[in-house]
Amino acid sequence: MEISAIRFEALKEIGNIGSGHAATSLSNMLQTRIDMSVPKVWLVPLEKMGEALGEMDANRVALYLKVEGEASGKALFVLPIPSAEGIAKNLLWMEEPPDIFHDEMAQSALREVGNILVSSFVIALTQFSGIQLQPSVPALAVDMIGAMIDSVLLEDGRVDDNVLIIDTKLSGLDDIEGKFLFIPDEGSLDKIFGVFGI
Amino acid sequence: MSTTLVVGMADYKIGRTPDKLMTAGLGSCIGICVFDLYAQIGSMGHIMLPSSRENMKGNPAKYADTCLEIMLEELFRLAGNRLRLQAKIAGGAQMFSFNGKAPLLKIGERNAEAVQQELKKAGIPLLSYDVGGTHGRTINFDLKTGNLHIRTINHGEKVI
């Protein structure tokens, strides 16, 4: 798979529009300012995944939703543990941050965060492009980032040698930080590029 | 001096004592270690899918069958004896479930079955394994002792 410069720019624009809406939703939910980085678009060979994502055994919370429709893909919101616990504390009006490994209320609150972020991303994309998309129910895991990513990549029983990732960093006060990742399925790219007429 | 060779996804490496081989963050993937303790040489592969037959595309180290084939070929060339080769494996977890339901394909489980079958077919004894569950694993293989050290986030550490 090769992707021309103009197509990279188009994918960055997808990241900008979708993640921008996701960041606004997160900001509304938490009643705090959320900053968004310029999206990065990676075409990563599988064996170099560690270089794109950082340490593969770093402990993270991942919220994962499948995006189904005319340009299907996989959406993930990945957070460091303290950040996930801080968000749950804020949403549930708790005195102390919860233990995300065991607190089911906190896990449920975070799944809802995943739901809202990915829904905003998808709605923005649909409004912009006319491509019909629907997110699945959210799943949550707390584990090594590499382990969670490989499961997501392999879920359909096939994986390309190079994986395309649209990666946007969201950050805010109180150490809130996370990565919003969108991994379009291989067949979806033509549909996306078609919208831009490229 | 001892070096740790890092094995990426869909990748394999060959090492000799005192080197160590490691791969970080195995989820549904499997880490396969095949080694010859007498010659003090071994290989670690990080496979992602059970069989190249279903989808013959791309990097052969991605699939259980073709990755093992390459590892065995190289080890045989370097160590000269297929009969001394032994194996240990880890991985094959299922990290996510949706509303309590497991995904349709259960790739982790199928990977674990496929690797065990391929080892059997090649006549390589599987000395020990740690597969399945719902947690990630980082594995470190010591070519000198044949010990496979497994680290997890919430399920302790062990040596198999």
Side-chain angles (χ1 to χ4, degrees), chain A residues 22 25-27 29-30 63-65 77 79 83-84 86-92 106-121 138 140 170 176 180:
Chain A
S25 301
L26 186 62
S27 168
M29 245 185 300
L30 302 176
L63 301 156
Y64 164 47
L65 289 92
F77 189 48
L79 312 92
S83 182
I87 289 176
K89 169 176 173 262
N90 173 322
L91 288 174
L92 298 170
Q107 292 181 0
S108 168
L110 281 164
R111 270 195 210 100
E112 198 44 38
V113 170
N115 209 359
I116 291 170
L117 288 191
V118 174
S119 298
S120 323
F121 180 90
L140 173 141
L170 307 181
I176 292 173
F180 192 92

PDB file of all heavy atoms in Angstrom, chain A residues 22 25-27 29-30 63-65 77 79 83-84 86-92 106-121 138 140 170 176 180:
ATOM      1  N   ALA A  22     -14.705  15.323  18.650  1.00  0.00           N
ATOM      2  CA  ALA A  22     -14.530  14.466  19.828  1.00  0.00           C
ATOM      3  C   ALA A  22     -13.964  15.284  20.991  1.00  0.00           C
ATOM      4  O   ALA A  22     -14.415  15.157  22.130  1.00  0.00           O
ATOM      5  CB  ALA A  22     -13.609  13.294  19.497  1.00  0.00           C
ATOM      6  N   SER A  25     -16.653  17.406  22.574  1.00  0.00           N
ATOM      7  CA  SER A  25     -17.525  16.604  23.431  1.00  0.00           C
ATOM      8  C   SER A  25     -16.868  16.323  24.766  1.00  0.00           C
ATOM      9  O   SER A  25     -17.504  16.393  25.814  1.00  0.00           O
ATOM     10  CB  SER A  25     -17.839  15.256  22.785  1.00  0.00           C
ATOM     11  OG  SER A  25     -18.454  15.445  21.579  1.00  0.00           O
ATOM     12  N   LEU A  26     -15.586  15.974  24.730  1.00  0.00           N
ATOM     13  CA  LEU A  26     -14.875  15.672  25.972  1.00  0.00           C
ATOM     14  C   LEU A  26     -14.840  16.916  26.860  1.00  0.00           C
ATOM     15  O   LEU A  26     -15.053  16.855  28.067  1.00  0.00           O
ATOM     16  CB  LEU A  26     -13.447  15.189  25.657  1.00  0.00           C
ATOM     17  CG  LEU A  26     -12.623  14.708  26.846  1.00  0.00           C
ATOM     18  CD1 LEU A  26     -13.281  13.491  27.507  1.00  0.00           C
ATOM     19  CD2 LEU A  26     -11.203  14.334  26.417  1.00  0.00           C
ATOM     20  N   SER A  27     -14.599  18.058  26.218  1.00  0.00           N
ATOM     21  CA  SER A  27     -14.555  19.319  26.947  1.00  0.00           C
ATOM     22  C   SER A  27     -15.904  19.626  27.595  1.00  0.00           C
ATOM     23  O   SER A  27     -15.978  20.020  28.757  1.00  0.00           O
ATOM     24  CB  SER A  27     -14.136  20.422  25.974  1.00  0.00           C
ATOM     25  OG  SER A  27     -14.341  21.678  26.541  1.00  0.00           O
ATOM     26  N   MET A  29     -18.249  17.460  28.417  1.00  0.00           N
ATOM     27  CA  MET A  29     -18.505  16.458  29.457  1.00  0.00           C
ATOM     28  C   MET A  29     -17.782  16.808  30.749  1.00  0.00           C
ATOM     29  O   MET A  29     -18.326  16.686  31.834  1.00  0.00           O
ATOM     30  CB  MET A  29     -17.983  15.102  28.967  1.00  0.00           C
ATOM     31  CG  MET A  29     -19.026  14.061  28.746  1.00  0.00           C
ATOM     32  SD  MET A  29     -18.245  12.498  28.332  1.00  0.00           S
ATOM     33  CE  MET A  29     -17.327  12.851  26.853  1.00  0.00           C
ATOM     34  N   LEU A  30     -16.519  17.221  30.607  1.00  0.00           N
ATOM     35  CA  LEU A  30     -15.686  17.437  31.799  1.00  0.00           C
ATOM     36  C   LEU A  30     -15.712  18.894  32.250  1.00  0.00           C
ATOM     37  O   LEU A  30     -15.131  19.237  33.275  1.00  0.00           O
ATOM     38  CB  LEU A  30     -14.239  17.013  31.516  1.00  0.00           C
ATOM     39  CG  LEU A  30     -14.055  15.563  31.092  1.00  0.00           C
ATOM     40  CD1 LEU A  30     -12.597  15.295  30.744  1.00  0.00           C
ATOM     41  CD2 LEU A  30     -14.498  14.629  32.218  1.00  0.00           C
ATOM     42  N   LEU A  63     -10.455   2.336  25.252  1.00  0.00           N
ATOM     43  CA  LEU A  63     -11.867   2.232  24.918  1.00  0.00           C
ATOM     44  C   LEU A  63     -11.915   1.969  23.433  1.00  0.00           C
ATOM     45  O   LEU A  63     -11.304   2.694  22.648  1.00  0.00           O
ATOM     46  CB  LEU A  63     -12.568   3.546  25.255  1.00  0.00           C
ATOM     47  CG  LEU A  63     -12.417   3.866  26.739  1.00  0.00           C
ATOM     48  CD1 LEU A  63     -12.558   5.331  26.999  1.00  0.00           C
ATOM     49  CD2 LEU A  63     -13.405   3.053  27.525  1.00  0.00           C
ATOM     50  N   TYR A  64     -12.606   0.911  23.061  1.00  0.00           N
ATOM     51  CA  TYR A  64     -12.558   0.490  21.678  1.00  0.00           C
ATOM     52  C   TYR A  64     -13.963   0.341  21.106  1.00  0.00           C
ATOM     53  O   TYR A  64     -14.809  -0.302  21.705  1.00  0.00           O
ATOM     54  CB  TYR A  64     -11.779  -0.823  21.580  1.00  0.00           C
ATOM     55  CG  TYR A  64     -11.959  -1.582  20.287  1.00  0.00           C
ATOM     56  CD1 TYR A  64     -11.871  -0.915  19.070  1.00  0.00           C
ATOM     57  CD2 TYR A  64     -12.213  -2.939  20.272  1.00  0.00           C
ATOM     58  CE1 TYR A  64     -12.047  -1.597  17.885  1.00  0.00           C
ATOM     59  CE2 TYR A  64     -12.387  -3.639  19.097  1.00  0.00           C
ATOM     60  CZ  TYR A  64     -12.306  -2.953  17.910  1.00  0.00           C
ATOM     61  OH  TYR A  64     -12.487  -3.634  16.737  1.00  0.00           O
ATOM     62  N   LEU A  65     -14.189   0.970  19.965  1.00  0.00           N
ATOM     63  CA  LEU A  65     -15.451   0.813  19.246  1.00  0.00           C
ATOM     64  C   LEU A  65     -15.166   0.500  17.790  1.00  0.00           C
ATOM     65  O   LEU A  65     -14.279   1.101  17.176  1.00  0.00           O
ATOM     66  CB  LEU A  65     -16.291   2.097  19.301  1.00  0.00           C
ATOM     67  CG  LEU A  65     -16.906   2.458  20.654  1.00  0.00           C
ATOM     68  CD1 LEU A  65     -15.973   3.364  21.424  1.00  0.00           C
ATOM     69  CD2 LEU A  65     -18.259   3.125  20.477  1.00  0.00           C
ATOM     70  N   PHE A  77      -9.809   5.116  22.027  1.00  0.00           N
ATOM     71  CA  PHE A  77      -9.349   6.218  22.865  1.00  0.00           C
ATOM     72  C   PHE A  77      -8.472   5.579  23.929  1.00  0.00           C
ATOM     73  O   PHE A  77      -8.921   4.719  24.686  1.00  0.00           O
ATOM     74  CB  PHE A  77     -10.539   6.971  23.475  1.00  0.00           C
ATOM     75  CG  PHE A  77     -10.152   8.246  24.175  1.00  0.00           C
ATOM     76  CD1 PHE A  77      -9.313   9.167  23.566  1.00  0.00           C
ATOM     77  CD2 PHE A  77     -10.629   8.527  25.450  1.00  0.00           C
ATOM     78  CE1 PHE A  77      -8.949  10.349  24.216  1.00  0.00           C
ATOM     79  CE2 PHE A  77     -10.277   9.708  26.100  1.00  0.00           C
ATOM     80  CZ  PHE A  77      -9.433  10.619  25.487  1.00  0.00           C
ATOM     81  N   LEU A  79      -5.791   5.962  27.119  1.00  0.00           N
ATOM     82  CA  LEU A  79      -5.388   6.907  28.172  1.00  0.00           C
ATOM     83  C   LEU A  79      -4.447   6.256  29.170  1.00  0.00           C
ATOM     84  O   LEU A  79      -4.582   5.064  29.456  1.00  0.00           O
ATOM     85  CB  LEU A  79      -6.600   7.370  28.985  1.00  0.00           C
ATOM     86  CG  LEU A  79      -7.854   7.845  28.339  1.00  0.00           C
ATOM     87  CD1 LEU A  79      -8.825   6.710  28.148  1.00  0.00           C
ATOM     88  CD2 LEU A  79      -8.494   8.893  29.228  1.00  0.00           C
ATOM     89  N   SER A  83      -5.031   9.327  34.198  1.00  0.00           N
ATOM     90  CA  SER A  83      -5.895  10.188  33.426  1.00  0.00           C
ATOM     91  C   SER A  83      -7.309   9.597  33.354  1.00  0.00           C
ATOM     92  O   SER A  83      -8.314  10.298  33.546  1.00  0.00           O
ATOM     93  CB  SER A  83      -5.297  10.357  32.029  1.00  0.00           C
ATOM     94  OG  SER A  83      -6.074  11.216  31.270  1.00  0.00           O
ATOM     95  N   ALA A  84      -7.402   8.289  33.109  1.00  0.00           N
ATOM     96  CA  ALA A  84      -8.707   7.618  33.055  1.00  0.00           C
ATOM     97  C   ALA A  84      -9.396   7.703  34.412  1.00  0.00           C
ATOM     98  O   ALA A  84     -10.600   7.982  34.504  1.00  0.00           O
ATOM     99  CB  ALA A  84      -8.531   6.155  32.647  1.00  0.00           C
ATOM    100  N   GLY A  86      -8.893   9.948  36.703  1.00  0.00           N
ATOM    101  CA  GLY A  86      -9.250  11.347  36.938  1.00  0.00           C
ATOM    102  C   GLY A  86     -10.554  11.709  36.231  1.00  0.00           C
ATOM    103  O   GLY A  86     -11.413  12.401  36.789  1.00  0.00           O
ATOM    104  N   ILE A  87     -10.715  11.239  35.012  1.00  0.00           N
ATOM    105  CA  ILE A  87     -11.939  11.521  34.252  1.00  0.00           C
ATOM    106  C   ILE A  87     -13.148  10.869  34.932  1.00  0.00           C
ATOM    107  O   ILE A  87     -14.201  11.487  35.106  1.00  0.00           O
ATOM    108  CB  ILE A  87     -11.797  11.038  32.784  1.00  0.00           C
ATOM    109  CG1 ILE A  87     -10.806  11.950  32.049  1.00  0.00           C
ATOM    110  CG2 ILE A  87     -13.134  11.013  32.068  1.00  0.00           C
ATOM    111  CD1 ILE A  87     -10.493  11.538  30.627  1.00  0.00           C
ATOM    112  N   ALA A  88     -12.987   9.617  35.374  1.00  0.00           N
ATOM    113  CA  ALA A  88     -14.090   8.919  36.058  1.00  0.00           C
ATOM    114  C   ALA A  88     -14.447   9.647  37.359  1.00  0.00           C
ATOM    115  O   ALA A  88     -15.625   9.820  37.685  1.00  0.00           O
ATOM    116  CB  ALA A  88     -13.705   7.467  36.336  1.00  0.00           C
ATOM    117  N   LYS A  89     -13.427  10.086  38.084  1.00  0.00           N
ATOM    118  CA  LYS A  89     -13.657  10.805  39.351  1.00  0.00           C
ATOM    119  C   LYS A  89     -14.482  12.062  39.093  1.00  0.00           C
ATOM    120  O   LYS A  89     -15.470  12.330  39.775  1.00  0.00           O
ATOM    121  CB  LYS A  89     -12.300  11.167  39.969  1.00  0.00           C
ATOM    122  CG  LYS A  89     -12.362  12.127  41.149  1.00  0.00           C
ATOM    123  CD  LYS A  89     -10.967  12.338  41.733  1.00  0.00           C
ATOM    124  CE  LYS A  89     -10.979  13.428  42.789  1.00  0.00           C
ATOM    125  NZ  LYS A  89     -10.556  14.747  42.300  1.00  0.00           N
ATOM    126  N   ASN A  90     -14.089  12.798  38.059  1.00  0.00           N
ATOM    127  CA  ASN A  90     -14.774  14.027  37.681  1.00  0.00           C
ATOM    128  C   ASN A  90     -16.234  13.752  37.300  1.00  0.00           C
ATOM    129  O   ASN A  90     -17.154  14.410  37.769  1.00  0.00           O
ATOM    130  CB  ASN A  90     -13.980  14.663  36.524  1.00  0.00           C
ATOM    131  CG  ASN A  90     -14.657  15.867  35.901  1.00  0.00           C
ATOM    132  OD1 ASN A  90     -15.874  15.899  35.759  1.00  0.00           O
ATOM    133  ND2 ASN A  90     -13.870  16.856  35.507  1.00  0.00           N
ATOM    134  N   LEU A  91     -16.456  12.719  36.479  1.00  0.00           N
ATOM    135  CA  LEU A  91     -17.810  12.450  35.984  1.00  0.00           C
ATOM    136  C   LEU A  91     -18.728  11.915  37.069  1.00  0.00           C
ATOM    137  O   LEU A  91     -19.927  12.151  37.057  1.00  0.00           O
ATOM    138  CB  LEU A  91     -17.755  11.437  34.831  1.00  0.00           C
ATOM    139  CG  LEU A  91     -17.185  11.958  33.520  1.00  0.00           C
ATOM    140  CD1 LEU A  91     -17.048  10.811  32.534  1.00  0.00           C
ATOM    141  CD2 LEU A  91     -18.062  13.054  32.938  1.00  0.00           C
ATOM    142  N   LEU A  92     -18.165  11.158  38.002  1.00  0.00           N
ATOM    143  CA  LEU A  92     -18.993  10.507  39.029  1.00  0.00           C
ATOM    144  C   LEU A  92     -19.003  11.302  40.337  1.00  0.00           C
ATOM    145  O   LEU A  92     -19.527  10.830  41.338  1.00  0.00           O
ATOM    146  CB  LEU A  92     -18.491   9.077  39.272  1.00  0.00           C
ATOM    147  CG  LEU A  92     -18.566   8.135  38.062  1.00  0.00           C
ATOM    148  CD1 LEU A  92     -17.831   6.833  38.325  1.00  0.00           C
ATOM    149  CD2 LEU A  92     -20.020   7.842  37.710  1.00  0.00           C
ATOM    150  N   ALA A 106     -16.835   3.107  37.500  1.00  0.00           N
ATOM    151  CA  ALA A 106     -15.838   3.905  36.781  1.00  0.00           C
ATOM    152  C   ALA A 106     -15.636   3.369  35.367  1.00  0.00           C
ATOM    153  O   ALA A 106     -15.546   4.126  34.401  1.00  0.00           O
ATOM    154  CB  ALA A 106     -14.514   3.906  37.547  1.00  0.00           C
ATOM    155  N   GLN A 107     -15.611   2.038  35.253  1.00  0.00           N
ATOM    156  CA  GLN A 107     -15.440   1.431  33.924  1.00  0.00           C
ATOM    157  C   GLN A 107     -16.623   1.784  33.025  1.00  0.00           C
ATOM    158  O   GLN A 107     -16.456   2.099  31.848  1.00  0.00           O
ATOM    159  CB  GLN A 107     -15.336  -0.091  34.047  1.00  0.00           C
ATOM    160  CG  GLN A 107     -14.063  -0.531  34.745  1.00  0.00           C
ATOM    161  CD  GLN A 107     -13.964  -2.051  34.851  1.00  0.00           C
ATOM    162  OE1 GLN A 107     -14.840  -2.778  34.407  1.00  0.00           O
ATOM    163  NE2 GLN A 107     -12.878  -2.508  35.448  1.00  0.00           N
ATOM    164  N   SER A 108     -17.801   1.750  33.636  1.00  0.00           N
ATOM    165  CA  SER A 108     -18.998   2.050  32.875  1.00  0.00           C
ATOM    166  C   SER A 108     -19.013   3.515  32.434  1.00  0.00           C
ATOM    167  O   SER A 108     -19.368   3.840  31.294  1.00  0.00           O
ATOM    168  CB  SER A 108     -20.204   1.687  33.741  1.00  0.00           C
ATOM    169  OG  SER A 108     -21.362   2.191  33.199  1.00  0.00           O
ATOM    170  N   ALA A 109     -18.583   4.416  33.336  1.00  0.00           N
ATOM    171  CA  ALA A 109     -18.513   5.842  32.988  1.00  0.00           C
ATOM    172  C   ALA A 109     -17.545   6.051  31.827  1.00  0.00           C
ATOM    173  O   ALA A 109     -17.812   6.818  30.900  1.00  0.00           O
ATOM    174  CB  ALA A 109     -18.074   6.650  34.200  1.00  0.00           C
ATOM    175  N   LEU A 110     -16.411   5.342  31.862  1.00  0.00           N
ATOM    176  CA  LEU A 110     -15.422   5.512  30.796  1.00  0.00           C
ATOM    177  C   LEU A 110     -15.916   4.940  29.471  1.00  0.00           C
ATOM    178  O   LEU A 110     -15.644   5.496  28.409  1.00  0.00           O
ATOM    179  CB  LEU A 110     -14.093   4.877  31.195  1.00  0.00           C
ATOM    180  CG  LEU A 110     -13.296   5.773  32.148  1.00  0.00           C
ATOM    181  CD1 LEU A 110     -12.198   4.988  32.836  1.00  0.00           C
ATOM    182  CD2 LEU A 110     -12.696   6.969  31.410  1.00  0.00           C
ATOM    183  N   ARG A 111     -16.657   3.831  29.535  1.00  0.00           N
ATOM    184  CA  ARG A 111     -17.239   3.301  28.297  1.00  0.00           C
ATOM    185  C   ARG A 111     -18.151   4.346  27.668  1.00  0.00           C
ATOM    186  O   ARG A 111     -18.174   4.517  26.458  1.00  0.00           O
ATOM    187  CB  ARG A 111     -18.053   2.036  28.599  1.00  0.00           C
ATOM    188  CG  ARG A 111     -17.220   0.799  28.519  1.00  0.00           C
ATOM    189  CD  ARG A 111     -18.095  -0.445  28.457  1.00  0.00           C
ATOM    190  NE  ARG A 111     -17.347  -1.507  29.084  1.00  0.00           N
ATOM    191  CZ  ARG A 111     -17.532  -1.926  30.321  1.00  0.00           C
ATOM    192  NH1 ARG A 111     -18.496  -1.427  31.051  1.00  0.00           N
ATOM    193  NH2 ARG A 111     -16.765  -2.867  30.817  1.00  0.00           N
ATOM    194  N   GLU A 112     -18.875   5.063  28.526  1.00  0.00           N
ATOM    195  CA  GLU A 112     -19.768   6.101  28.026  1.00  0.00           C
ATOM    196  C   GLU A 112     -18.953   7.222  27.385  1.00  0.00           C
ATOM    197  O   GLU A 112     -19.337   7.779  26.349  1.00  0.00           O
ATOM    198  CB  GLU A 112     -20.642   6.620  29.172  1.00  0.00           C
ATOM    199  CG  GLU A 112     -21.882   7.359  28.742  1.00  0.00           C
ATOM    200  CD  GLU A 112     -22.658   6.699  27.605  1.00  0.00           C
ATOM    201  OE1 GLU A 112     -22.744   5.457  27.583  1.00  0.00           O
ATOM    202  OE2 GLU A 112     -23.149   7.436  26.730  1.00  0.00           O
ATOM    203  N   VAL A 113     -17.808   7.560  27.999  1.00  0.00           N
ATOM    204  CA  VAL A 113     -16.922   8.564  27.400  1.00  0.00           C
ATOM    205  C   VAL A 113     -16.494   8.105  25.999  1.00  0.00           C
ATOM    206  O   VAL A 113     -16.546   8.864  25.029  1.00  0.00           O
ATOM    207  CB  VAL A 113     -15.667   8.814  28.289  1.00  0.00           C
ATOM    208  CG1 VAL A 113     -14.644   9.666  27.556  1.00  0.00           C
ATOM    209  CG2 VAL A 113     -16.079   9.470  29.607  1.00  0.00           C
ATOM    210  N   GLY A 114     -16.105   6.839  25.902  1.00  0.00           N
ATOM    211  CA  GLY A 114     -15.705   6.284  24.610  1.00  0.00           C
ATOM    212  C   GLY A 114     -16.832   6.398  23.600  1.00  0.00           C
ATOM    213  O   GLY A 114     -16.634   6.800  22.448  1.00  0.00           O
ATOM    214  N   ASN A 115     -18.019   6.068  24.053  1.00  0.00           N
ATOM    215  CA  ASN A 115     -19.207   6.123  23.220  1.00  0.00           C
ATOM    216  C   ASN A 115     -19.423   7.531  22.658  1.00  0.00           C
ATOM    217  O   ASN A 115     -19.634   7.722  21.455  1.00  0.00           O
ATOM    218  CB  ASN A 115     -20.397   5.745  24.108  1.00  0.00           C
ATOM    219  CG  ASN A 115     -21.501   5.094  23.332  1.00  0.00           C
ATOM    220  OD1 ASN A 115     -21.386   4.930  22.120  1.00  0.00           O
ATOM    221  ND2 ASN A 115     -22.556   4.740  24.013  1.00  0.00           N
ATOM    222  N   ILE A 116     -19.361   8.518  23.550  1.00  0.00           N
ATOM    223  CA  ILE A 116     -19.641   9.897  23.143  1.00  0.00           C
ATOM    224  C   ILE A 116     -18.534  10.428  22.220  1.00  0.00           C
ATOM    225  O   ILE A 116     -18.808  11.049  21.200  1.00  0.00           O
ATOM    226  CB  ILE A 116     -19.824  10.784  24.395  1.00  0.00           C
ATOM    227  CG1 ILE A 116     -21.120  10.374  25.098  1.00  0.00           C
ATOM    228  CG2 ILE A 116     -19.834  12.265  24.029  1.00  0.00           C
ATOM    229  CD1 ILE A 116     -21.328  10.982  26.455  1.00  0.00           C
ATOM    230  N   LEU A 117     -17.274  10.128  22.569  1.00  0.00           N
ATOM    231  CA  LEU A 117     -16.168  10.602  21.723  1.00  0.00           C
ATOM    232  C   LEU A 117     -16.263  10.029  20.312  1.00  0.00           C
ATOM    233  O   LEU A 117     -16.150  10.756  19.323  1.00  0.00           O
ATOM    234  CB  LEU A 117     -14.812  10.200  22.328  1.00  0.00           C
ATOM    235  CG  LEU A 117     -14.373  10.942  23.583  1.00  0.00           C
ATOM    236  CD1 LEU A 117     -12.920  10.632  23.899  1.00  0.00           C
ATOM    237  CD2 LEU A 117     -14.545  12.434  23.411  1.00  0.00           C
ATOM    238  N   VAL A 118     -16.457   8.720  20.237  1.00  0.00           N
ATOM    239  CA  VAL A 118     -16.466   8.092  18.921  1.00  0.00           C
ATOM    240  C   VAL A 118     -17.723   8.500  18.142  1.00  0.00           C
ATOM    241  O   VAL A 118     -17.665   8.735  16.932  1.00  0.00           O
ATOM    242  CB  VAL A 118     -16.325   6.557  19.034  1.00  0.00           C
ATOM    243  CG1 VAL A 118     -16.470   5.897  17.675  1.00  0.00           C
ATOM    244  CG2 VAL A 118     -14.978   6.212  19.641  1.00  0.00           C
ATOM    245  N   SER A 119     -18.851   8.644  18.850  1.00  0.00           N
ATOM    246  CA  SER A 119     -20.069   9.103  18.159  1.00  0.00           C
ATOM    247  C   SER A 119     -19.851  10.499  17.579  1.00  0.00           C
ATOM    248  O   SER A 119     -20.246  10.768  16.440  1.00  0.00           O
ATOM    249  CB  SER A 119     -21.258   9.127  19.109  1.00  0.00           C
ATOM    250  OG  SER A 119     -21.512   7.837  19.573  1.00  0.00           O
ATOM    251  N   SER A 120     -19.218  11.407  18.346  1.00  0.00           N
ATOM    252  CA  SER A 120     -18.968  12.755  17.825  1.00  0.00           C
ATOM    253  C   SER A 120     -18.064  12.704  16.601  1.00  0.00           C
ATOM    254  O   SER A 120     -18.273  13.411  15.620  1.00  0.00           O
ATOM    255  CB  SER A 120     -18.264  13.650  18.854  1.00  0.00           C
ATOM    256  OG  SER A 120     -18.701  13.408  20.125  1.00  0.00           O
ATOM    257  N   PHE A 121     -17.032  11.861  16.697  1.00  0.00           N
ATOM    258  CA  PHE A 121     -16.094  11.695  15.584  1.00  0.00           C
ATOM    259  C   PHE A 121     -16.850  11.250  14.332  1.00  0.00           C
ATOM    260  O   PHE A 121     -16.714  11.828  13.253  1.00  0.00           O
ATOM    261  CB  PHE A 121     -15.052  10.641  15.991  1.00  0.00           C
ATOM    262  CG  PHE A 121     -14.009  10.341  14.964  1.00  0.00           C
ATOM    263  CD1 PHE A 121     -12.821  11.062  14.944  1.00  0.00           C
ATOM    264  CD2 PHE A 121     -14.183   9.328  14.029  1.00  0.00           C
ATOM    265  CE1 PHE A 121     -11.833  10.786  14.001  1.00  0.00           C
ATOM    266  CE2 PHE A 121     -13.210   9.047  13.082  1.00  0.00           C
ATOM    267  CZ  PHE A 121     -12.036   9.783  13.076  1.00  0.00           C
ATOM    268  N   PRO A 138     -19.306   0.178  23.091  1.00  0.00           N
ATOM    269  CA  PRO A 138     -17.895   0.306  23.476  1.00  0.00           C
ATOM    270  C   PRO A 138     -17.399  -0.884  24.298  1.00  0.00           C
ATOM    271  O   PRO A 138     -18.156  -1.468  25.062  1.00  0.00           O
ATOM    272  CB  PRO A 138     -17.900   1.570  24.344  1.00  0.00           C
ATOM    273  CG  PRO A 138     -19.295   1.728  24.835  1.00  0.00           C
ATOM    274  CD  PRO A 138     -20.203   1.041  23.872  1.00  0.00           C
ATOM    275  N   LEU A 140     -14.006  -2.017  26.892  1.00  0.00           N
ATOM    276  CA  LEU A 140     -12.930  -1.412  27.671  1.00  0.00           C
ATOM    277  C   LEU A 140     -11.935  -2.485  28.100  1.00  0.00           C
ATOM    278  O   LEU A 140     -12.325  -3.601  28.421  1.00  0.00           O
ATOM    279  CB  LEU A 140     -13.518  -0.728  28.912  1.00  0.00           C
ATOM    280  CG  LEU A 140     -12.546  -0.168  29.965  1.00  0.00           C
ATOM    281  CD1 LEU A 140     -13.068   1.151  30.512  1.00  0.00           C
ATOM    282  CD2 LEU A 140     -12.322  -1.140  31.118  1.00  0.00           C
ATOM    283  N   LEU A 170      -5.215  14.360  22.663  1.00  0.00           N
ATOM    284  CA  LEU A 170      -6.081  15.298  23.376  1.00  0.00           C
ATOM    285  C   LEU A 170      -5.487  15.512  24.763  1.00  0.00           C
ATOM    286  O   LEU A 170      -5.041  14.575  25.403  1.00  0.00           O
ATOM    287  CB  LEU A 170      -7.498  14.732  23.522  1.00  0.00           C
ATOM    288  CG  LEU A 170      -8.199  14.264  22.243  1.00  0.00           C
ATOM    289  CD1 LEU A 170      -9.599  13.754  22.565  1.00  0.00           C
ATOM    290  CD2 LEU A 170      -8.277  15.385  21.222  1.00  0.00           C
ATOM    291  N   ILE A 176      -5.188  15.453  32.305  1.00  0.00           N
ATOM    292  CA  ILE A 176      -6.023  14.712  31.367  1.00  0.00           C
ATOM    293  C   ILE A 176      -5.260  14.615  30.053  1.00  0.00           C
ATOM    294  O   ILE A 176      -4.853  15.625  29.489  1.00  0.00           O
ATOM    295  CB  ILE A 176      -7.358  15.435  31.118  1.00  0.00           C
ATOM    296  CG1 ILE A 176      -8.200  15.405  32.397  1.00  0.00           C
ATOM    297  CG2 ILE A 176      -8.128  14.783  29.965  1.00  0.00           C
ATOM    298  CD1 ILE A 176      -9.456  16.233  32.303  1.00  0.00           C
ATOM    299  N   PHE A 180      -6.503   9.668  20.544  1.00  0.00           N
ATOM    300  CA  PHE A 180      -7.635   9.190  19.780  1.00  0.00           C
ATOM    301  C   PHE A 180      -7.099   8.569  18.496  1.00  0.00           C
ATOM    302  O   PHE A 180      -6.444   9.243  17.712  1.00  0.00           O
ATOM    303  CB  PHE A 180      -8.581  10.353  19.476  1.00  0.00           C
ATOM    304  CG  PHE A 180      -9.897   9.910  18.947  1.00  0.00           C
ATOM    305  CD1 PHE A 180     -10.954   9.677  19.815  1.00  0.00           C
ATOM    306  CD2 PHE A 180     -10.078   9.684  17.596  1.00  0.00           C
ATOM    307  CE1 PHE A 180     -12.177   9.240  19.329  1.00  0.00           C
ATOM    308  CE2 PHE A 180     -11.290   9.239  17.108  1.00  0.00           C
ATOM    309  CZ  PHE A 180     -12.349   9.020  17.986  1.00  0.00           C
TER     310      PHE A 180
END
